[in-house]
Amino acid sequence: MSKEIVAEAIKAAPPVAVTTASLAGLSLAEWVSIATILYIGLQVGLLVPRYWREYRAWRDGSDETDVPGDAT
């Protein structure tokens, strides 16, 4: 490859990245917002059941929280 082709490819990389990021007509900021909402939804879906079990165990006076994978 010649140095000229590599130089032109490097110059074209930022616009190509922005164009690729705007898939489906969404801007990069909107994609980040969507990813953040999905991440928060997954965290809620995983943590709420765990804390609900811990609350019920505390309410019932049990020392065992029966949380799978919890080493504490």
Side-chain angles (χ1 to χ4, degrees):
M1 242 193 229
S2 72
K3 292 181 182 179
E4 295 165 0
I5 294 174
V6 172
E8 292 301 318
I10 291 172
K11 289 178 187 176
V16 169
V18 170
T19 302
T20 304
S22 64
L23 296 171
L26 298 175
S27 69
L28 183 59
E30 292 168 330
W31 279 112
V32 170
S33 297
I34 291 169
T36 302
I37 290 169
L38 289 173
Y39 178 77
I40 291 170
L42 286 171
Q43 289 297 313
V44 168
L46 294 171
L47 292 177
V48 167
R50 175 182 174 183
Y51 290 135
W52 182 252
R53 283 191 304 268
E54 289 181 9
Y55 168 73
R56 282 194 335 229
W58 173 79
R59 184 188 63 197
D60 296 338
S62 172
D63 290 336
E64 302 275 334
T65 57
D66 194 27
V67 178
D70 190 15
T72 58

